[in-house]
Amino acid sequence: THEMTSATSRPSQRKLLLAALALWLLPVVALTVMVTLHPEKRTVTPLYHDAAANWQAGKTLYMGPGGMNYLPHFALAFAPFEAMPAPWGDIAWRWLSAGLLAGGFWRLARQLRPDAPEQLFFWSSLFGLLLCLDALRSGQANALFAALTTHAVVFLMQQRWWLATPTIFAALAIKPLGLVLLLLAPVVYRPMIWRAALGCVIFAAFPFLFGKPHYVWSQHEALVENLRACSVVTDHRFTDINGLLRTLGLGLSDRASQLLRVLAGGATLGLCWLGARRLTDPSKGVFLLALTTAYLMLFNPMNEVNSYVILAPVLAALAAFYLKFEEPKSLGWALVLMALTMAVLPELLRTVYGNSFALWWHPLMTLVFVALLVWRMWRQPKSKSALERMSRSTVPAAH
């Protein structure tokens, strides 16, 4: 909030900032009204309430892939919202997610275009907000996870290691998917190696401060079994790479899918390592954020349509950047079309395809996004990178 209000006072830029804030505020207010009037409609928060209540009662947190699939830390994180009277806990949860997500869009805009962050914030919000609304409407943890992941990578770009580290672990507490960024960040930013290792020790010990050791240990054992069960789900109702392959009649077995995830993880790590050697910030951080979120979209076996809120910040930021500030404009238009079609086409084509359109369209667009990103980053010499040119005039101090 302080960063937003300290933005430049140029009237045109201030208007863009206010317009961007309105883009976020109006739908969140509308969602607040919906939740107030129909708190049990289109929401996943009852699962989260159950998890927090079960932790307090010393009951099991896990009931198979259809229940809670997060670390025990999540039950502790959601406890304050469980303690609030209905529906205020659910409303506060959505406001927190939306506020941090909007802040992530803003802080990413400041890194990519420090001379005109308001303009980039407005356009990236315009292009990316529609991909966020479904997760915010249902109260999905994906929205908060997307926000924390974006903030964490911006902290990495700024070399603010002691802010990046707890933010990465906060994302991990919200969803186990945070493990990907935790593993990739030290590859790109070497000062994170020992900080991540120390953070793992603290993170592992944290739940034991709030429960009996036997109970906490038993929930971690149940978590391992729960994640194993999630990893072998083969239903044709998820928007990962298998959603695309199964639509083509090429669905993989559970073992083949697990092998593909490992191989793709190795390839992603290799690309991050090469990017770290070739690029400097903010290009290096953008590359890390894009590869991390794209990997999660393609290789999380229980990925859903509203999970693409995780990809939205970096996709929308790059769409706005290339459309408004940098050549080729065709790349900007391509990214804009990807973001908007992922948000709009599933609803427009529901009468024709039912819920199946996004199962193949979203992973296909993610694959195209990664291909375009790798092509663009490697096509242009580092000294001519627009992202890096912009960063030289506003290099944040290390913390």
Side-chain angles (χ1 to χ4, degrees):
T1 302
H2 174 71
E3 289 179 338
M4 292 185 184
T5 56
S6 64
T8 177
S9 59
R10 287 176 294 170
S12 60
Q13 296 300 314
R14 185 175 293 275
K15 289 179 181 178
L16 283 172
L17 177 60
L18 293 175
L21 292 174
L23 282 176
W24 285 94
L25 185 60
L26 292 176
V28 174
V29 170
L31 293 180
T32 301
V33 175
M34 293 178 189
V35 173
T36 302
L37 296 177
H38 305 286
E40 300 298 326
K41 186 176 181 180
R42 289 187 59 185
T43 180
V44 299
T45 53
L47 289 174
Y48 305 163
H49 286 286
D50 288 345
N54 287 338
W55 178 276
Q56 293 293 330
K59 299 179 180 178
T60 183
L61 302 175
Y62 302 102
M63 302 172 188
M68 191 188 85
N69 301 313
Y70 309 149
L71 276 68
H73 301 65
F74 182 86
L76 292 170
F78 197 80
F81 303 95
E82 160 67 8
M84 296 181 189
W88 301 112
D90 286 1
I91 292 172
W93 172 255
R94 287 169 171 83
W95 274 89
L96 175 66
S97 301
L100 286 177
L101 190 55
F105 272 70
W106 166 252
R107 299 190 73 247
L108 190 56
R110 287 197 67 185
Q111 285 301 116
L112 299 188
R113 194 75 192 193
D115 65 328
E118 302 89 349
Q119 188 175 358
L120 189 54
F121 178 44
F122 171 77
W123 289 106
S124 63
S125 296
L126 187 66
F127 300 147
L129 181 57
L130 288 177
L131 263 179
C132 304
L133 292 181
D134 190 31
L136 291 172
R137 171 66 182 95
S138 62
Q140 249 289 353
N142 287 321
L144 184 54
F145 176 82
L148 292 170
T149 301
T150 304
H151 282 284
V153 173
V154 172
F155 287 140
L156 291 172
M157 294 183 200
Q158 297 173 335
Q159 301 179 25
R160 301 169 76 177
W161 315 122
W162 289 110
L163 287 174
T165 304
T167 307
I168 290 173
F169 280 101
L172 179 60
I174 296 302
K175 287 184 78 76
L177 303 180
L179 180 64
V180 174
L181 181 59
L182 177 62
L183 294 176
L184 292 179
V187 174
V188 180
Y189 297 94
R190 294 184 64 84
M192 283 295 296
I193 294 176
W194 71 268
R195 292 175 171 88
L198 177 60
C200 286
V201 175
I202 297 172
F203 186 80
F206 184 75
F208 289 91
L209 301 176
F210 300 91
K212 296 179 180 179
H214 175 75
Y215 171 71
V216 176
W217 182 255
S218 71
Q219 294 313 295
H220 281 83
E221 290 180 326
L223 167 69
V224 173
E225 176 58 28
N226 190 77
L227 293 179
R228 187 203 64 78
C230 292
S231 71
V232 297
V233 172
T234 57
D235 297 345
H236 186 36
R237 57 188 179 90
F238 297 107
T239 55
D240 64 331
I241 188 66
N242 269 319
L244 174 59
L245 295 176
R246 289 173 187 135
T247 300
L248 299 174
L250 302 172
L252 301 176
S253 67
D254 56 348
R255 289 188 177 275
S257 295
Q258 290 172 337
L259 177 61
L260 180 60
R261 287 195 287 274
V262 172
L263 294 176
T268 302
L269 188 149
L271 283 172
C272 286
W273 181 78
L274 290 172
R277 290 171 60 88
R278 177 178 176 81
L279 305 173
T280 60
D281 278 317
S283 291
K284 184 167 66 173
V286 170
F287 198 57
L288 170 63
L289 181 59
L291 289 179
T292 298
T293 54
Y295 177 84
L296 293 177
M297 297 303 93
L298 291 171
F299 300 104
N300 171 20
M302 296 187 69
N303 210 47
E304 298 177 312
V305 174
N306 65 41
S307 300
Y308 281 80
V309 63
I310 299 170
L311 184 68
V314 68
L315 173 60
L318 287 174
F321 180 82
Y322 280 103
L323 187 64
K324 292 296 178 180
F325 297 105
E326 175 65 358
E327 298 294 338
K329 302 300 182 190
S330 57
L331 177 57
W333 280 114
L335 297 177
V336 169
L337 289 174
M338 289 165 58
L340 294 181
T341 57
M342 290 164 70
V344 174
L345 285 185
E347 289 299 324
L348 292 180
L349 300 177
R350 190 171 298 278
T351 56
V352 179
Y353 291 98
N355 294 322
S356 65
F357 178 79
L359 300 185
W360 63 272
W361 183 257
H362 286 42
L364 177 62
M365 290 298 97
T366 304
L367 286 170
V368 173
F369 172 61
V370 172
L372 289 174
L373 184 73
V374 173
W375 166 79
R376 184 58 182 168
M377 291 298 181
W378 260 259
R379 176 179 177 271
Q380 206 167 23
K382 181 171 64 175
S383 60
K384 294 183 180 180
S385 170
L387 290 177
E388 290 154 9
R389 286 200 308 270
M390 291 312 308
S391 69
R392 289 179 187 137
S393 62
T394 309
V395 179
H399 291 261

